Amino acid sequence: MIEQYVWDLEEIDDRRAAAVGGKGANLARLSGIADVSVPSGFCVTTDAFHRIIARTPSIDDRLDRLSRLDVDERDAIRTLSAEIRRTIEDTAVPDDLAAQITSALARHGDRAAYAVRSSATAEDLPTASFAGQQDTYLNVVGPESVLRHISRCWASLFTERAVVYRRRNGIGHRTVSMAVVVQRMVLPRAAGILFTADPVTGDRRTATVDAGFGLGEALVSGLVNPDVFRVRDGEVVAETIAAKRRAVHALPGGGTREVALDSRRQEQPALTHEQAVRLVGLGRRIEAHFGRPQDIEWCLADDGFHIVQSRPITTLFPVPERDDTDNHVYVSVGHQQMMTDAMKPLGLSMWQRTAMVPMHAAGGRLFVDVTRRLASPAGRAALLDLLGRSEPLVRDALETVLDRGDFVPSLPDAGPAGPPAGGAPAPIETDPAIVTALIERSQASVAALGRDIRTKSGPELFDFLPTAFEEHKRVLSDPLNIQAIMAGMEATWWLNDKLHEWLGEKNAADALTLSAPGNITSQMGLDLLEVADAIRPHPEVVAFLRGVEDGGSRYEGSPSEGFLDELAKRAGGAEAREAIEGYLDRYGMRCAGEIDITRPRWRERPTTLVPAILDNVRNFGPGAAQRRFEQGRQAALKKEQDVLSRLRALPDGERKADETKRMIDRVRTFIGYREYPKYDIVSRYFLYKQALFAEAERLVRAGVLGEKEDVCYLTLQELADAVRSKKVDGRLIQQRKDAFRSYRALTPPRVLTSDGECLNGAYRRDDVPADALTGLSVSAGTVEGRARVVLDIARAQLETGDILVTVCTDPSWSPLFVGIAGLVTEVGGLMTHGAVIAREYGLPAVVGVEQATRRIRDGQRIRVHGTDGYVEILS
């Protein structure tokens, strides 16, 4: 039986889709949509590509070498990929394959002009479009030329840009193959691209049409700026008509050329409004067929539209699923929790099950629906005030939505409005015993969870977890717990507001909260200094740790005992191990991104702490923790005396001083407790994780899961079902892995609407130097130093006086704070963890600086204006 390597587009069904690549499969599906015109043609399958590769054994060795190259080794990638392309292009097409291609050309018109287009198996996918990574050739005329250009399409799988793209997206070079689409050319008077959702804002109701004269190559190559039409609800709502000085036209004998347009035609629109609206109507039909927003290439010829490609728009942030058609406004949870990375399904479902309010998942992140709170006047005012104090960018984004007037419904207040956020302090006494009692209750509850959960396994564990979650929520929702948290925050706000009003001083509370007692997160940083004290006197231990930091990958992911056992064999190692073990006993449940239960904890991967320990050994002397805390305490006391003295000199000064003293006592009593509830949560999470991963290990031993980490791609309910049924859908796990990989590349917005619009807000300030980076002041003071841009805490190497620049800092970053001079983050608010610890350590800090890790280069000198909320780049 002769193997068939060529299929007409109309012959391709779901069974053959895998053999024709993403573009070929999409074009075949487009051909089946009523009233959508697709130029006729055929597809040369991936089996033909495999035959060519099999005829050139030398490619195997080159692919092995290519797979070992890092993405930054561009010269080597360029050289090796060029060798592979030349080899493929020089390989003769077998006679039987060439015969099938020429036969297909005869069916469709062997004298016609064709577009010869790559169609890789990892192309035009929902998670990775690969747009522009492989090659397309237009106006190819004659069988010999078509065959030659098919070989060039096969070779284009190994362009430098395609190789790098695959590497960055974690796709192996051997897992991708190439089909080729050959289509009749359309010779259009206009062409362009239609996005059925706004590719910039994400708005699903607004389509964007880019249009130019001639072939679409002029737009794709950047030769001309396109006309842009924005279409919403069946009408053009905005347009920009560009001066289109050039176009690309097809030549009679094959190939294309650039031509200059007549000056009278240059500023004429390429489409009428009626045509733009009609095109978007076609796009909506295509979008409905594929089930998601599309990036569509189109041509206009003889007043009819022809669709030559449709692929998913992979850069859009997903929208939470909902069971109604109402408008919704969502606020990012990650921006409040200082963890904007994508979370795996088990992590998402666990946070949803233990959160105090309903949360909605989208793009691997969680969001809270605030629509109803925005709908009533009192709810809106309270929410905007609370969010505005914490993070002005979220408030501005919400106000942008509200200013439109018709997106959020208007509802009456449900009842009498309560006091606004930041008003009168919570009605509890300023009594340290309250904090002590709350901590003791938390410790007792966590200890009880530990005792109980260790006795549960199998279905019994999942029967127990709902009860554990209820206790989890009960502790967090205890009115006294909430009052204690709010008391510290409200006292901070009162001090900042009143002392600015009375003394003209910004952020006065920052100095008054230095070394506040009872802060578990700042204590975590100081305690790591004491670990360094235990290690510093032992050269062999220090040398061992340096070896681990420089390349001890064999310890990564291994049980903590393996690393610590090796450490104990060195002179002084027993003492060092005891110090690290003690630290892990208290803080081992923590890690970067700790709201995601799937993340490795310090107890599971203690080598994560090694860089911070060595920084402390190098940058500090013995007893630094106690000295640092006492210096902060004395500075706060001195600031208190200064403030009270200046107040007493004012009219009605004694009253103002007395009120301020009460608030200083209140903030120092309660502000440290602000960090404890999160410690309670992650302590419980580690216990949950140990129990759930023990079940995963049993499923691996039973052959139900391929590896323990696969459990991360199941929801909690799916894991419970798997434990009971001893069955797991392996395809679902692979789909979830692919989706997670795509989510990691997305940047979550602060605010998201149900239309898909992503909003991040703006500061709208005019008191910042023109070249400065604007942010939110969260810790007063000004400092100048070397910027250290750190994206991974495990690779941080800091020296005294460095300024840490990163995306965001959750509590796990606090051990680094003891050695830095200032802090700049892209995400953060006034009362988020990094801000609280920066104030307690006296570090000037500016947060919410958009794209700080890209706009500031590692090693640059910068000046952080913590009091005024901006950053200057000095060199």
Side-chain angles (χ1 to χ4, degrees), residues 6 103 212 340 419 451 533 581 635 669 688 787 795 805 824 869:
V6 176
S103 176
T340 55
R451 289 193 301 272
D533 287 351
E581 284 278 16
T669 296
Y688 301 148
R795 290 173 170 78
V805 181
V824 179

Side-chain angles (χ1 to χ4, degrees), residues 224-351:
V224 298
N225 291 323
D227 295 341
V228 180
F229 302 88
R230 289 168 56 80
V231 179
R232 184 180 178 92
D233 298 334
E235 65 176 321
V236 176
V237 295
E239 67 176 352
T240 302
I241 306 303
K244 302 170 288 297
R245 293 181 174 83
R246 305 188 71 77
V248 175
H249 287 171
L251 294 171
T256 63
R257 71 173 179 181
E258 296 177 17
V259 298
L261 291 178
D262 182 274
S263 59
R264 290 171 298 179
R265 194 182 179 205
Q266 289 177 6
E267 296 191 14
Q268 291 180 357
L271 295 178
T272 66
H273 281 201
E274 184 275 333
Q275 288 170 331
V277 170
R278 180 151 49 95
L279 175 61
V280 170
L282 282 175
R284 293 295 181 211
R285 195 172 305 152
I286 294 168
E287 178 184 67
H289 184 81
F290 284 102
R292 59 183 299 151
Q294 296 288 298
D295 166 357
I296 298 168
E297 294 183 20
W298 57 270
C299 300
L300 176 63
D302 301 324
D303 204 36
F305 286 104
H306 304 271
I307 305 302
V308 296
Q309 187 167 338
S310 187
R311 62 167 73 93
I313 307 176
T314 59
T315 56
L316 294 178
F317 198 88
V319 178
E321 293 183 5
R322 61 192 195 280
D323 55 8
D324 60 44
T325 57
D326 297 338
N327 291 342
H328 292 268
V329 182
Y330 305 96
V331 171
S332 166
V333 173
H335 285 80
Q336 308 302 312
Q337 291 294 332
M338 299 299 96
M339 212 294 276
T340 55
D341 292 349
M343 295 169 66
K344 295 172 184 172
L346 184 62
L348 291 169
S349 63
M350 281 294 294
W351 196 259

Side-chain angles (χ1 to χ4, degrees), residues 372-373 375-382 411-420:
R372 291 194 64 83
R373 293 192 67 182
S376 68
R380 182 185 314 131
L411 299 174
D413 291 331

Side-chain angles (χ1 to χ4, degrees), residues 19 80 174 339 493 503 523 532 544 607 660 673 712 718 810:
L80 200 49
R174 294 179 185 278
M339 212 294 276
W493 297 335
L503 299 176
Q523 189 61 46
F544 171 75
T607 53
T660 300
Y673 182 71
C712 301
E718 289 165 350
D810 65 7

